Amino acid sequence: MLKHAVIPLLLGAGLLAGAPSALAASNLVFCSEGSPAGFDPGQYTTGTDFDASAETVFNRLTQFERGGTAVVPGLATKWEVAEDGKTYTFHLREGVKFHTTEYFKPTREFNADDVLFTFNRMLDPNQPFRKAYPTEFPYFTDMGMDRNIARVEKVDAHTVRFTLNEVDAAFIQNLAMSFASIQSAEYAEQLLTQGKPADINQKPIGTGPFVFNKYQKDALIRFKGNKDYWQPEDVKIDNLIFAITTDASVRMQKLKKNECQVTLFPRPADIKPLSADAKLQMPHQAGFNLGYIAYNVMDQIKGSNTPNPLAQLKVREALDMAVNKPQIIESVYQGAGQLASNAMPPTQWSYDDSVKDAPYDPEKAKQLLKEAGIKEGTEITLWAMPVQRPYNPNAKLMAEMLQADWAKVGIKAKIVSYEWGEYIKRSKGGEQGAMLIGWSGDNGDPDNWLGTLYGCDAVDGNNFSKWCYKPYDDLIKQAKATSDQAKRIELYQQAQHLLKEQVPITPIAHSTVYQPMSAKVKDFKISPFGLNSFYGVSVDK
């Protein structure tokens, strides 16, 4: 971790060497929190990856309004939904140009072929590009879109039709999510011809407001403002630089020195002094997020040859009631967190406020562990993320507090951590015991929580508990397949109670999101989805 914290600091003064001064109005430096795993949004699920690709380089057919949850036209100007709710026809925007770079020069504008390539690559394992560059698309499959999209057809050069097997009430919102970013079919064909298909993940080409220029892992990403953007008024920055800075205190030092103009995830202790600095501004809002403990419920954890105690409901109930949440929220969130008892935030429609926590009760927890046949001193692993996230400002401290809580009931928790990309990859593979993780909502629909995080379709993706419970899964699938919102609310609320009873997770907190930035930054909007977008943003001289 020391290497990651120090390198960006050393680069600070020379970050823009060879580029205009960081003080120039047409340049903005964003002190980001980590290195992206790649630049192909379809392959990833984290905000770190999406900020560096989907929010800069790409567009989608539909998009969320900046700073909000409403869906607005993107690369599609309008769409129609058939009466049966299973056929969607999209009319594509004309005159949209793909990026021109030193490695790709497009010969045509965006059209239906690009939409077909983007989705058929995710749908069909035998699609030529997918065969040449085998990869997984976790978001797409976690939401069951690989099974529900029957076909994508080209009606004409600027019209495409999606046909679904079942009604999906959140389909338009899903297409606005980062993973659905539209790729260039022409660029993909060039990469195939060159025998370099993996470059789609390292040298991205999109239609978005910024053009990818350079990436140095653990140091920086450079983007150029897209002068040919289809909404030219949204590109007010000539040079956008991500200064990758994993250490929160270093990020705040850089901000105060004007080495960057926007950053994220301040330490709770830094919020008050940063807010008092006249050269800075500190917009904030209630987070549409949840930090939680996920319990791996598999009978045997990957890489282990012993039974997994977390597979037993009584063990999970015991660990859950042994967590001193108020103490964690006071120490970790320091006034910037709200206690969570449910599996999604209270601002999400269909939230059931009758779902309550079991009382904090270490003595009862000991009794449950005894009934489950768990000996005192039994060891489990507790994974703690190495980076700050909107839903957890200090996972290391939280893990240490949980370790102490569980030691009081006879469970020995061994804290484990990995580099962020490895952390996600290994945990999706099922190597963890208990783990700290969380979520910022992606599309404003309940399924984005109850399906994406806890459904059977997501067991190999964002369902880090590996929990697949048919009575629950039937409810959320039925809810997703109806457009009657009252009925959806009823089904989702039943599902919330089942999830609480089965304890695949322990919800900890919903955090307040603070976004420190220079007072010179204009029109930056905090995303409810935990993303960072710089189109429409400018910096005063």
Side-chain angles (χ1 to χ4, degrees), residues 55-89:
E55 294 303 303
T56 49
V57 177
F58 293 96
N59 295 120
R60 290 148 291 287
L61 291 175
T62 62
Q63 297 189 173
F64 294 108
E65 65 178 358
R66 203 158 55 94
T69 60
V71 175
V72 297
L75 291 178
T77 57
K78 60 182 180 178
W79 49 89
E80 295 100 37
V81 186
E83 269 188 47
D84 66 0
K86 297 180 183 178
T87 304
Y88 291 73
T89 302

Side-chain angles (χ1 to χ4, degrees), residues 33-37 46-53 242 387 389 420 531:
E33 82 288 12
S35 295
T46 78
T48 304
D49 300 304
F50 293 153
D51 284 350
S53 57
F242 282 32
V387 295
R389 303 303 302 150
W420 180 232
L531 300 173

Side-chain angles (χ1 to χ4, degrees), residues 311-328:
Q312 294 191 61
L313 175 57
K314 283 186 176 180
V315 174
R316 301 195 300 273
E317 288 176 324
L319 294 180
D320 178 79
M321 66 179 61
V323 175
N324 190 334
K325 286 190 193 180
Q327 197 171 74
I328 287 175

Side-chain angles (χ1 to χ4, degrees), residues 9 39 78 86 93 99 138 163 179 203 207 219 248 297-298 376 380 392 405 420 440 453 493 509:
L9 180 62
F39 296 89
K78 60 182 180 178
K86 297 180 183 178
R93 192 176 297 276
H99 298 160
T163 303
F179 76 90
K203 298 178 177 180
T207 59
V297 305
M298 295 167 66
E376 189 167 344
I380 63 170
N392 191 333
D405 282 345
W420 180 232
S440 293
L453 301 183
Q493 291 190 340

Side-chain angles (χ1 to χ4, degrees), residues 487-500:
K487 182 63 176 173
R488 294 187 79 200
I489 290 172
E490 180 187 333
L491 293 165
Y492 283 135
Q493 291 190 340
Q494 290 177 45
Q496 289 165 58
H497 282 276
L498 279 184
L499 191 145
K500 192 67 175 177

